[in-house]
């Protein structure tokens, strides 16, 4: 079940996350190898924030889109994981990200 959360409340392994975030920095896109499936995936890494904190956001494969620093986005049906000791928000197969309209920009 999807739930609206703030960054400070996100813990590893939470699912069905909805949140509104501002893109602080686009960190880049890279290819990663999955030991689990043996396939190669593209992942875009972005630093995002809301009024409660900052966190990395990973956008996977066909969900990758052009994001602008300083713009506000709505993330739906994301999940949280742990990577290199930090909690990360992920947009995978079932998640989405879209730019927020001008009137809804407050984070």
């Amino acid at each position: 079940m999807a739930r609206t959360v703030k960054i400070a409340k996100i813990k590893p392994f939470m699912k069905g996350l909805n949140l509104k975030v501002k893109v602080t920095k686009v960190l880049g896109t890279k290819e990663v190898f999955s030991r689990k499936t043996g396939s190669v995936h593209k992942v875009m890494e972005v630093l995002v924030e809301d009024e409660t904190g900052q966190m990395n956001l990973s956008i996977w494969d066909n969900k990758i889109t052009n994001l602008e620093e300083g713009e506000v986005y709505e993330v739906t049906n994301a999940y949280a994981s742990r990577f290199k000791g930090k909690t990360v928000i992920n947009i995978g197969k079932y998640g989405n990200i879209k730019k927020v309209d001008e009137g809804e920009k407050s984070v």
Side-chain angles (χ1 to χ4, degrees), residues 3 5 7 12 15 17 28 32 42 50-51 53 59 63 68 76 95 103:
R3 58 187 163 208
V5 296
I7 286 175
K15 296 179 182 179
L17 303 174
V32 295
K42 277 189 157 183
D50 66 14
E51 68 274 10
I59 306 170
K63 299 296 178 168
E68 299 174 51
T76 55

Side-chain angles (χ1 to χ4, degrees), residues 17-52:
L17 303 174
N18 296 333
L19 57 157
K20 194 185 291 187
V21 294
K22 180 175 167 182
V23 172
T24 305
K25 186 165 182 64
V26 176
L27 302 171
T29 303
K30 62 184 176 182
E31 289 188 345
V32 295
F33 178 77
S34 170
R35 290 184 290 239
K36 185 177 181 180
T37 63
S39 58
V40 175
H41 297 275
K42 277 189 157 183
V43 61
M44 177 183 194
E45 294 180 338
V46 181
L47 182 63
V48 296
E49 67 180 21
D50 66 14
E51 68 274 10
T52 67

Side-chain angles (χ1 to χ4, degrees), residues 90-106:
N90 295 273
I91 298 174
K93 187 184 340 184
Y94 303 110
N96 285 298
I97 185 167
K98 69 173 188 166
K99 192 172 179 179
V100 170
D101 294 332
E102 285 295 322
E104 303 172 19
K105 284 206 171 179
S106 61

